[in-house]
């Protein structure tokens, strides 16, 4: 319990689209939800790409945004690493190591987060700028919003993280 | 005597906590969930989780690398 008997609240501004940063976002979010906390994850910039559908590659509204999505397709199964990415070798090895250690894939952790009531808010500005439509994103996300809404969530939280 | 046994041996953070949360949801208030784990981090995690959720940690012990927790559902 937090102050005044209300449940504690965690807000994460999830900016990174790197696998090794999206993992802690999902682990912290799911454990907080499992602890009875209210959890909000505001997904913005590269972070939004982690919540793109895995079967959606080319997105965008013109050749430049389409080109960007070609170079970074997003989707929780297609993310790179901040270190030792080595053209996809690093993530491939990391996924193998994680599976061997019974650490669930990101896709499963996202499903668990949604199922546990974690509110995932896509950044409308990122969606507009990069031409990412609602149907390009996975199911189960909350309503899209902007910085004011993200700040309001942060201001009413006990813990706020930027990852 | 526990009302339900949850075996999370081999699983690592965050799964023992996630599974414990799901398991405790199926119990009545006052019933006891027993968790067996092998994750050494689970000792600190179950202490924090019970403190956070208000459930009572009746037992937290380690024997030969196996951790055993008994948690009474409080609400």
């Amino acid at each position: 319990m937090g102050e005044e008997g209300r449940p504690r609240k965690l807000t994460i501004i999830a900016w990174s689209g790197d696998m090794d940063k999206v993992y802690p976002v999902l682990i912290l979010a799911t454990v907080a939800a499992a602890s009875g906390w209210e959890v909000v994850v505001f997904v913005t910039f590269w972070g939004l790409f982690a919540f793109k559908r895995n079967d959606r590659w080319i997105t965008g509204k013109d050749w430049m945004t389409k080109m960007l999505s070609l170079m970074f397709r997003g989707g929780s199964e297609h993310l790179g690493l901040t270190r030792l990415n080595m053209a996809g070798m690093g993530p491939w090895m990391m996924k193998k190591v994680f599976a061997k250690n019974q650490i669930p894939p990101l896709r499963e952790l996202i499903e668990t987060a949604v199922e546990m009531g974690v509110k995932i808010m896509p950044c409308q500005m990122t969606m507009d700028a990069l031409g990412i439509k609602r149907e390009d994103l996975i199911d189960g996300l909350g309503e899209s919003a902007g910085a004011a809404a993200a700040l309001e969530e942060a201001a009413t939280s006990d813990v706020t993280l930027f990852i | 005597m526990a009302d339900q046994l949850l075996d999370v041996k081999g699983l690592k953070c965050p799964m023992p906590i996630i599974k414990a949360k799901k398991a405790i949801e199926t119990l009545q208030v006052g019933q006891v969930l027993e968790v067996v784990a092998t994750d050494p981090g689970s000792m600190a995690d179950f202490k924090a989780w019970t403190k956070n959720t208000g459930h009572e940690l009746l037992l937290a012990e380690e024997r030969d690398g196996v951790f055993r927790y008994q948690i009474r559902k409080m609400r």
Side-chain angles (χ1 to χ4, degrees), chain A:
Chain A
M1 285 290 151
E3 301 291 310
E4 297 147 15
R6 67 168 173 82
R8 282 178 170 160
K9 181 173 172 182
L10 166 69
T11 293
I12 302 176
I13 314 291
W15 167 85
S16 173
D18 291 315
M19 188 205 245
D20 43 355
K21 289 194 174 180
V22 179
Y23 255 106
V25 168
L26 269 311
I27 290 172
L28 291 167
T30 50
V31 169
S35 303
W37 296 27
E38 184 188 344
V39 186
V40 177
V41 179
F42 182 71
V43 290
T44 184
F45 278 83
W46 307 117
L48 181 71
F49 282 78
F51 294 85
K52 254 179 78 172
R53 293 169 55 109
N54 281 304
D55 58 3
R56 205 61 64 97
W57 189 327
I58 307 290
T59 51
K61 51 185 176 175
D62 48 36
W63 72 268
M64 231 191 291
T65 50
K66 282 180 180 148
M67 187 83 107
L68 277 166
S69 73
L70 182 69
M71 292 185 285
F72 181 54
R73 68 180 289 183
S76 60
E77 289 172 347
H78 308 288
L79 305 178
L81 290 171
T82 50
R83 282 166 182 268
L84 303 172
N85 193 53
M86 302 194 290
M89 258 264 280
W92 180 80
M93 286 168 72
M94 192 68 89
K95 280 179 200 164
K96 291 267 177 214
V97 169
F98 275 23
K100 214 170 156 186
N101 280 280
Q102 300 195 55
I103 295 165
L106 276 177
R107 181 181 42 75
E108 258 178 61
L109 282 179
I110 293 172
E111 283 165 14
T112 304
V114 168
E115 183 193 319
M116 295 185 103
V118 171
K119 190 163 113 189
I120 301 169
M121 295 166 71
C123 168
Q124 185 65 53
M125 185 274 263
T126 309
M127 290 172 68
D128 290 347
L130 298 177
I132 296 171
K133 298 185 205 72
R134 187 78 200 189
E135 59 265 32
D136 298 328
L137 301 173
I138 57 164
D139 295 333
L141 303 188
E143 61 175 342
S144 59
L151 280 175
E152 180 56 25
E153 299 289 0
T156 54
S157 291
D158 301 279
V159 179
T160 307
L161 302 170
F162 180 92
I163 301 177

Side-chain angles (χ1 to χ4, degrees), chain B:
Chain B
M1 200 53 204
D3 296 287
Q4 196 184 327
L5 178 70
L6 176 68
D7 184 350
V8 290
K9 290 201 286 286
L11 296 186
K12 291 172 179 65
C13 173
M15 294 323 287
I17 294 291
I18 306 284
K19 291 199 179 268
K21 147 85 176 167
K22 286 182 178 170
I24 215 157
E25 270 176 0
T26 65
L27 297 184
Q28 309 286 328
V29 172
Q31 286 188 311
V32 175
L33 173 70
E34 180 164 317
V35 183
V36 281
T38 48
D39 171 18
S42 65
M43 183 59 83
D45 279 350
F46 274 94
K47 284 179 181 168
W49 181 68
T50 46
K51 190 178 162 207
N52 245 306
T53 52
H55 301 309
E56 190 185 353
L57 187 60
L58 304 169
L59 173 88
E61 62 166 26
E62 191 244 320
R63 205 174 293 164
D64 302 326
V66 177
F67 297 80
R68 204 157 65 94
Y69 308 99
Q70 284 186 350
I71 301 150
R72 188 190 303 283
K73 180 168 177 161
M74 298 303 281
R75 46 186 193 82

